[in-house]
Amino acid sequence: MELQGKIIAALPERSGVSQRGEWKSQEFVVETHDTQYSRKLVFTVFGADRLQRFNIQVGQEVNVAFDIDAHEWNGRWFNDIRAYDVRQIDPAQYVSPQPAPAGVQPMGAAPVSTAPQVDASAAPVADSAEDLPF
C-alpha cells in the first residue's frame, strides 16, 4: 500500500540485540492531505541501512510504501505497519488535493442526506432486527 503526506513526528530510535544480531527501528507519523478529514498513520522503518537511506525528517512531504501485518501477544492483536520504501516528494511538484465534485463524498466521510426530514415522534418504533443500521 502507499500513502502520501507530511512527516509530523519522528519518535525516538529503538535498538537492541536479537539472535540475528543488532537491530534498529524508528517510528514516524505521517499526516495525509485529504480535503476534508486528514488522517495520521504511524509507521515503522526497520533496519539501520533503511533509516540511513530514507533519511526521514520532520516536515518532509513523502510517499510511503508499506505493508500491514498483525501479531498476537497475550491474547490481544496488534497491527504492524512497516515501511519498505519512503521517497521524498519535491515541494515544488506537490499538488494539493482538489475538493470533491458536488455530491461526491470523500472516503470515510459521513454521507449527507438530501432526503426530506421526518418528524421522529411521528415515526413508528421498529422492534425488528432487520431495521438495525448495521
Side-chain angles (χ1 to χ4, degrees):
M1 299 180 82
E2 288 191 9
L3 180 75
Q4 182 176 321
K6 182 178 184 178
I7 299 295
I8 62 169
L11 303 178
E13 190 176 277
R14 297 183 299 160
S15 62
V17 179
S18 70
Q19 292 176 345
R20 295 182 184 174
E22 291 185 37
W23 58 268
K24 284 187 180 183
S25 73
Q26 189 171 6
E27 293 180 324
F28 299 90
V29 181
V30 63
E31 182 175 30
T32 65
H33 302 295
D34 293 338
T35 54
Q36 193 171 7
Y37 302 101
S38 63
R39 305 208 189 283
K40 295 174 185 78
L41 176 88
V42 176
F43 65 92
T44 304
V45 176
F46 192 84
D49 59 330
R50 285 186 177 163
L51 286 168
Q52 185 178 17
R53 184 175 31 148
F54 298 159
N55 191 26
I56 302 168
Q57 304 295 320
V58 174
Q60 283 181 330
E61 192 67 33
V62 295
N63 189 43
V64 181
F66 57 91
D67 287 325
I68 301 174
D69 195 16
H71 63 275
E72 184 266 340
W73 185 72
N74 285 345
R76 294 192 58 195
W77 285 87
F78 300 89
N79 287 321
D80 183 26
I81 302 173
R82 193 171 287 188
Y84 59 85
D85 192 23
V86 179
R87 296 182 189 255
Q88 185 175 356
I89 297 172
D90 182 6
Q93 294 178 346
Y94 173 70
V95 178
S96 64
Q98 299 299 315
V104 176
Q105 292 294 322
M107 189 167 69
V112 177
S113 174
T114 57
Q117 298 293 325
V118 178
D119 182 8
S121 62
V125 176
D127 292 334
S128 169
E130 294 176 16
D131 294 330
L132 294 175
F134 49 87

